[in-house]
Amino acid sequence: MAISELPNSRTEEDGSAVLRVLSYNIRSMRDDEDALARVIRACDPDVVFVQEAPRFFRWRKHAARLAAKSELLVLSGGATAAGPMLLCSLRATVERTEDVLLPLTPGLHRRGLATAVVRFAGARVGLISCHLSLRKDERYAQAGMVLDRVAALGTPHTLVAGDLNERPDGPAFRRLAKELTDGWEASPWGDAYTSTPADPHQRIDAILATPGIEFLGCGVPTDLDPADLRAATDHLPVLAAVRVPAAS
């Protein structure tokens, strides 16, 4: 479906916030950076949950350049979170950020979480960007660590998004979806499959939320430039519109 059919960001009379949030594995910006920025801008997000952000030489410079091209700001993460990163619009008021490194399994890539607590109008929300392991047992354990971090944020509402490296019937995905609402299941919009852009055949990226956050639509936009999607990275983006209640 067209991005224009998804609700725009707004503040409602009771102080609740309607947000556009995007989850996107950007493959360390090794592909067409301008195409990547065009995809992000077209989605017009308040928050971007990034996976595989630049992690090596001059990574901060690369992250800042992508944020500027996307008309956003770097909120947290990058190399200090082993890849996950958060970008946000000027609409966000930042309360705090924290980059979390998960336990290292010898022989495997280090994983981490980019986290933040922000306010949009009267709504206070936690944010966690994650990229789970390729190995099944480690991935399941990391899903539990994500849930532990949700509890540790101490926010009334939290959004979790990322590359789960697993389909919805997998144990790690199910572990998350048991406690969090899966946006695609709650309010499917657009397409489901996120991998790969040339041959979408599996849903391994997701946006999830704690109870109380309402999904107004969630999925892969269908009206983005296919050439840009193929050139930008090896995943398709997941876009959602959510309503976050005002803090009591």
Side-chain angles (χ1 to χ4, degrees):
M1 292 185 180
I3 292 173
S4 61
E5 298 177 24
L6 204 64
N8 291 319
S9 304
R10 64 178 183 270
T11 301
E12 303 197 318
E13 290 185 2
D14 63 356
S16 62
V18 173
L19 311 176
R20 280 193 181 187
V21 295
L22 183 71
S23 184
Y24 207 4
N25 183 319
I26 65 171
R27 211 166 80 103
S28 300
M29 294 171 60
R30 295 200 300 267
D31 301 291
D32 187 329
E33 188 177 306
D34 291 329
L36 178 64
R38 285 194 295 270
V39 170
I40 295 173
R41 287 199 309 270
C43 293
D44 194 21
D46 296 289
V47 177
V48 184
F49 298 78
V50 174
Q51 302 84 48
E52 292 193 31
R55 294 184 292 131
F56 301 110
F57 184 63
R58 294 183 176 175
W59 67 269
R60 288 184 174 87
K61 180 179 179 179
H62 296 311
R65 188 172 66 245
L66 175 64
K69 288 184 176 182
S70 304
E71 300 176 0
L72 298 167
L73 302 172
V74 176
L75 177 55
S76 69
T80 47
M85 184 171 70
L86 292 166
L87 305 178
C88 69
S89 71
L90 288 170
R91 189 182 176 208
T93 299
V94 182
E95 184 175 308
R96 68 178 189 270
T97 66
E98 183 179 4
D99 300 331
V100 180
L101 292 175
L102 301 180
L104 175 63
T105 299
L108 298 179
H109 291 297
R110 190 69 180 260
R111 302 284 175 171
L113 308 173
T115 79
V117 177
V118 299
R119 293 178 183 269
F120 291 92
R124 181 169 177 260
V125 61
L127 309 172
I128 299 176
S129 179
C130 64
H131 186 186
L132 302 188
S133 175
L134 290 169
R135 200 169 87 178
K136 184 176 180 180
D137 59 339
E138 185 179 50
R139 189 164 60 239
Y140 183 81
Q142 289 170 352
M145 295 173 199
V146 170
L147 294 173
D148 290 343
R149 185 55 49 174
V150 170
L153 285 178
T155 51
H157 306 288
T158 299
L159 289 161
V160 174
D163 178 352
L164 305 185
N165 267 321
E166 186 172 279
R167 299 179 184 188
D169 59 353
F173 202 129
R174 292 201 311 269
R175 186 174 191 178
L176 291 170
K178 183 177 180 180
E179 297 192 30
L180 305 173
T181 302
D182 177 358
W184 170 259
E185 291 292 340
S187 185
W189 168 90
D191 288 339
Y193 297 147
T194 61
S195 175
T196 60
D199 178 28
H201 64 282
Q202 58 181 349
R203 184 165 77 95
I204 60 173
D205 304 83
I207 298 175
L208 307 104
T210 53
I213 293 179
E214 179 186 2
F215 279 94
L216 306 175
C218 180
V220 177
T222 59
D223 61 336
L224 294 170
D225 185 341
D228 275 351
L229 291 173
R230 290 192 298 269
T233 180
D234 62 349
H235 283 243
L236 291 171
V238 183
L239 179 63
V242 298
R243 179 181 288 110
V244 183
S248 59

